[in-house]
């Protein structure tokens, strides 16, 4: 059958010989037949333990992309593990410790991870001290956040052909249940409807395709409009990009923001609040009698345009949302009494009509009047782009919504933190890095014309194993891969 000095090859030859004998005799070899090397093989297999079995998919896939983007230049093994674990097995830091121990044979104490998070993102002036001569002494720890943003921006610029011509900015809120207010977590307007829970604001700046540039964390009671220009100027100063077109939704629209953007020579496309325009402008918009697909433009002062468009699909959605809001109001205020806990300016409470101090009814005239605005969307811009180009660019804001979903993570698992500010920044820094890696994986799959989704790719990483073992005679260490 053949010869070999390799034990595995000899076993293969032996199996081949048995099959040959079976075919010649027309009957199988007796089960009590003793095969050479089987005792050695059984002894070898019985000595294998779980610690020799390693899941290599996360490092093989996500780790390679981590290095490709440039994060391997951050000299911190724990940060690498936390990012890859966030992609492979997202959860609490305790689950991260279990994952590292079970799959990577890395034994970290959970307190060591929390201590690392405390020291991950020092950069605030208040964290610095001065010596006797007045020289600023920076705290111990690396400013990994700025390293991550620098690396992410460099890779984003490369992906975009060396130029950042458009940026998208938006904010979201992260709330904390059963937590007290502190210097960062404040009660404010909650986009999640959790008005009684302390929260923080997360601002994110991306470019075309959702490719990340940077992010910022703000107190929960800040007005989001005050963060737009300062954040763009800060990131532009650190990264050195010029004056891209700034695109943001109506939540960032304010007279002050427009004045600041124009003062800094930025072109912008902002979502408009058409129902908050002057009576003259609103009358002009409704007088256009817009139909599906129509786009009209109203010139404002100093080269600023208000562009309005109509969509039947958006109209159906607006109508459904209004009716849903009305149903909630009818159910909530069916007694006609308004309690103190119900008072806020959010959502469809604008349809409430108060008579005296406590009696409340629903203003159906106002509800019906709003139907005239169903499907109408407005955009404010000072660019020279065509109306269609303005709308097309603005429509790419969905990339940032997707980014938010991937960056939020679970910040509510531990309501009370020691050194909370740094731990929140550390967690979001990890999520931001993981998001960048996911975008690159998606790009590679698309370039390869693969029909594998990101979800499927994530599941495949969990099926890639490696067995580390020593040869019984030579004691050489070897590895065997399996998927």
């Amino acid at each position: 059958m053949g010869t070999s000095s390799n034990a595995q090859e000899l076993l293969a030859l032996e199996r081949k010989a048995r099959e040959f004998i079976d075919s010649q005799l027309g009957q199988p070899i007796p089960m009590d037949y003793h095969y050479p090397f089987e005792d050695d093989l059984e002894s070898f297999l019985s000595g294998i333990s779980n610690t020799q079995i390693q899941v290599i998919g996360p490092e093989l896939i996500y780790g390679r992309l981590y290095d490709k983007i440039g994060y391997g230049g951050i000299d911190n093994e724990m940060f690498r593990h936390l990012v890859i674990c966030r992609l492979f097995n997202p959860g609490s830091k305790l689950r991260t410790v279990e994952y590292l121990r079970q799959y990577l044979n890395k034994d970290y104490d959970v307190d060591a991870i929390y201590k690392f998070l405390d020291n991950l993102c020092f950069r605030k002036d208040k964290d610095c001290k001065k010596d006797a001569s007045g020289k600023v002494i920076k705290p111990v720890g690396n400013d990994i956040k700025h390293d991550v943003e620098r690396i992410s921006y460099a890779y984003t610029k490369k992906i975009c052909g060396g130029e950042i011509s458009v940026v998208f900015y938006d904010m979201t809120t992260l709330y904390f249940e059963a937590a007290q207010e502190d210097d960062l977590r404040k009660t404010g307007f909650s986009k999640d409807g959790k008005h009684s829970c302390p929260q923080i604001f997360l601002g994110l700046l991306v470019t075309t395709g959702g490719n990340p540039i940077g992010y910022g964390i703000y107190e929960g009671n800040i007005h989001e409009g005050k963060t737009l220009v300062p954040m763009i100027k800060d990131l532009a100063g650190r990264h050195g990009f010029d004056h891209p077109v700034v695109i943001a939704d109506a939540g960032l629209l304010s007279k002050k923001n427009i004045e600041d953007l124009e003062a800094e020579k930025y072109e912008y496309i902002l979502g408009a609040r058409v129902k908050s325009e002057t009576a003259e402008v609103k009358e002009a918009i409704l007088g256009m009698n817009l139909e599906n697909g129509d786009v009209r433009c109203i010139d404002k002062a100093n080269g600023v345009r208000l562009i309005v468009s109509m969509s039947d699909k958006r109209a159906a959605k607006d109508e459904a949302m209004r009716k849903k809001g009305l149903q909630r109001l009818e159910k909530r205020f069916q007694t006609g009494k308004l309690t103190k806990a119900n008072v806020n300016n959010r959502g469809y409470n604008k349809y409430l009509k108060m008579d005296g101090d406590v009696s409340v009814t629903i203003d159906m005239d106002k509800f019906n009047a709003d139907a005239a605005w169903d499907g109408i969307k407005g955009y404010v811009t000072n660019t020279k782009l065509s109306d269609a180009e303005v709308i097309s660019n603005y429509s790419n804001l969905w990339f940032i919504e997707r980014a938010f979903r991937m960056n939020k993570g679970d910040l509510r698992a531990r309501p009370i933190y020691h050194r909370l500010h740094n731990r929140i920044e550390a967690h979001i820094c990890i999520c931001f890095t993981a998001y960048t890696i996911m975008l690159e994986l998606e790009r590679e799959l698309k370039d390869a014309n693969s029909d594998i989704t990101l979800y499927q790719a994530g599941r495949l990483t969990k099926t890639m194993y490696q067995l580390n073992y020593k040869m019984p005679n030579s004691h050489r260490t070897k590895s065997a891969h399996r998927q």
Side-chain angles (χ1 to χ4, degrees):
M1 291 298 155
T3 61
S4 176
S5 60
N6 182 286
Q8 289 181 326
E9 292 179 2
L10 287 170
L11 287 172
L13 289 170
E14 196 170 331
R15 286 193 297 271
K16 184 178 179 180
R18 178 177 179 176
E19 292 172 358
F20 175 77
I21 293 173
D22 287 349
S23 66
Q24 295 299 310
L25 295 177
Q27 60 184 9
I29 295 178
M31 294 300 297
D32 59 353
Y33 176 78
H34 181 74
Y35 290 93
F37 305 109
E38 278 197 349
D39 291 341
D40 289 340
L41 178 61
E42 185 176 352
S43 175
F44 168 71
L45 293 176
S46 65
I48 294 176
S49 65
N50 286 338
T51 59
Q52 294 172 254
I53 302 173
Q54 182 179 358
V55 176
I56 61 172
E59 183 62 38
L60 192 65
I61 304 300
Y62 300 131
R64 179 185 63 83
L65 296 174
Y66 183 97
D67 293 329
K68 177 183 177 181
I69 293 169
Y71 296 131
I74 299 174
D75 187 19
N76 193 298
E77 184 184 54
M78 185 177 288
F79 182 72
R80 181 190 188 96
H81 289 320
L82 289 173
V83 170
I84 294 176
C85 184
R86 183 74 207 167
L87 290 159
F88 172 70
N89 188 36
S92 68
K93 298 304 176 284
L94 185 59
R95 283 184 61 185
T96 299
V97 170
E98 294 172 352
Y99 154 74
L100 293 173
R101 182 181 297 118
Q102 182 176 356
Y103 295 111
L104 297 182
N105 299 323
K106 301 286 185 180
D107 198 1
Y108 285 114
D109 183 80
V110 68
D111 290 333
I113 291 182
Y114 281 118
K115 185 177 180 180
F116 167 73
L117 297 180
D118 285 341
N119 294 278
L120 179 58
C121 299
F122 284 113
R123 73 182 193 283
K124 301 292 185 183
D125 292 340
K126 66 180 181 181
D127 292 324
C128 301
K129 297 181 179 180
K130 294 183 179 181
D131 59 18
S133 65
K135 182 180 179 181
V136 175
I137 303 174
K138 293 185 177 181
V140 177
N142 297 322
D143 188 358
I144 293 181
K145 174 189 185 291
H146 282 182
D147 289 340
V148 164
E149 286 182 322
R150 172 180 52 79
I151 294 168
S152 301
Y153 173 76
Y155 199 75
T156 288
K157 186 176 180 180
K158 177 182 176 182
I159 293 298
C160 294
E163 181 182 6
I164 305 297
S165 58
V166 177
V167 294
F168 302 88
Y169 181 72
D170 202 358
M171 299 192 76
T172 192
T173 53
L174 302 171
Y175 67 90
F176 298 80
E177 295 178 343
Q180 301 295 320
E181 287 193 0
D182 49 39
D183 62 337
L184 180 63
R185 295 182 293 185
K186 302 287 186 181
T187 302
F189 176 77
S190 171
K191 297 186 177 183
D192 299 300
K194 302 289 184 177
H195 300 286
S196 61
C197 296
Q199 64 179 18
I200 65 170
F201 267 103
L202 171 64
L204 189 62
L205 191 71
V206 305
T207 187
T208 306
N211 295 289
I213 296 176
Y215 66 94
I217 300 170
Y218 304 93
E219 294 82 359
N221 60 353
I222 196 171
H223 186 277
E224 58 183 314
K226 295 181 178 180
T227 66
L228 173 62
V229 177
M231 182 171 175
I232 293 174
K233 287 180 64 178
D234 172 61
L235 291 171
R238 286 195 281 120
H239 298 324
F241 57 82
D242 198 8
H243 281 66
V245 176
V246 178
I247 303 177
D249 68 13
L252 281 302
L253 178 66
S254 69
K255 182 178 179 181
K256 182 66 165 58
N257 270 344
I258 289 178
E259 290 175 350
D260 290 345
L261 286 168
E262 291 178 346
E264 296 295 332
K265 310 297 183 185
Y266 281 104
E267 292 187 331
Y268 56 82
I269 301 172
L270 304 176
R273 300 189 186 100
V274 289
K275 289 187 283 187
S276 298
E277 290 286 345
T278 65
E280 182 181 0
V281 172
K282 288 193 291 184
E283 184 179 353
I285 294 173
L286 294 179
M288 294 174 182
N289 297 317
L290 298 173
E291 297 182 356
N292 185 46
D294 285 349
V295 177
R296 299 287 188 274
C297 178
I298 298 175
D299 289 326
K300 305 184 102 175
N302 302 317
V304 178
R305 291 176 291 156
L306 171 62
I307 300 168
V308 291
S309 67
M310 175 63 185
S311 164
D312 284 348
K313 183 178 180 180
R314 188 164 55 233
K317 181 179 178 181
D318 291 344
E319 181 182 13
M321 292 297 292
R322 280 190 307 106
K323 289 181 177 179
K324 185 177 180 180
L326 178 63
Q327 290 172 355
R328 287 201 302 265
L329 284 178
E330 289 174 335
K331 181 179 179 180
R332 191 174 177 188
F333 297 100
Q334 58 186 343
T335 61
K337 300 296 181 180
L338 180 66
T339 65
K340 183 178 179 180
N342 298 136
V343 178
N344 64 62
N345 295 319
R346 182 175 181 270
Y348 295 94
N349 284 4
K350 62 184 179 180
Y351 297 135
L352 295 177
K353 183 178 181 180
M354 297 188 66
D355 299 321
D357 294 328
V358 294
S359 180
V360 60
T361 57
I362 296 176
D363 190 342
M364 293 303 299
D365 289 339
K366 189 173 184 179
F367 174 81
N368 293 326
D370 264 359
W373 296 97
D374 288 350
I376 296 177
K377 176 70 177 175
Y379 316 85
V380 176
T381 183
N382 66 343
T383 67
K384 305 300 182 184
L385 298 173
S386 69
D387 296 349
E389 288 173 327
V390 167
I391 296 173
S392 177
N393 276 281
Y394 185 89
S395 66
N396 287 324
L397 266 174
W398 74 271
F399 283 118
I400 207 165
E401 293 298 330
R402 180 190 186 208
F404 276 138
R405 290 195 297 271
M406 298 178 69
N407 272 285
K408 274 192 172 184
D410 181 12
L411 287 171
R412 307 175 190 97
R414 286 177 172 260
I416 301 176
Y417 285 122
H418 169 60
R419 303 185 69 124
L420 172 72
H421 193 290
N422 289 329
R423 289 193 178 178
I424 290 176
E425 288 195 13
H427 180 83
I428 294 178
C429 184
I430 291 168
C431 292
F432 181 84
T433 309
Y435 164 70
T436 309
I437 292 172
M438 288 294 282
L439 277 186
E440 182 55 31
L441 174 58
E442 184 178 57
R443 186 178 297 109
E444 287 197 357
L445 290 172
K446 183 177 180 180
D447 289 344
N449 294 319
S450 173
D451 57 358
I452 297 176
T453 65
L454 287 176
Y455 174 75
Q456 291 170 333
R459 294 195 63 176
L460 285 173
T461 63
K462 301 179 181 182
T463 66
M464 301 176 185
Y465 293 88
Q466 175 175 286
L467 173 63
N468 303 312
Y469 61 92
K470 284 186 178 181
M471 297 298 292
N473 296 321
S474 67
H475 300 293
R476 289 179 299 175
T477 301
K478 291 192 173 185
S479 298
H481 306 281
R482 186 178 187 276
Q483 179 179 352

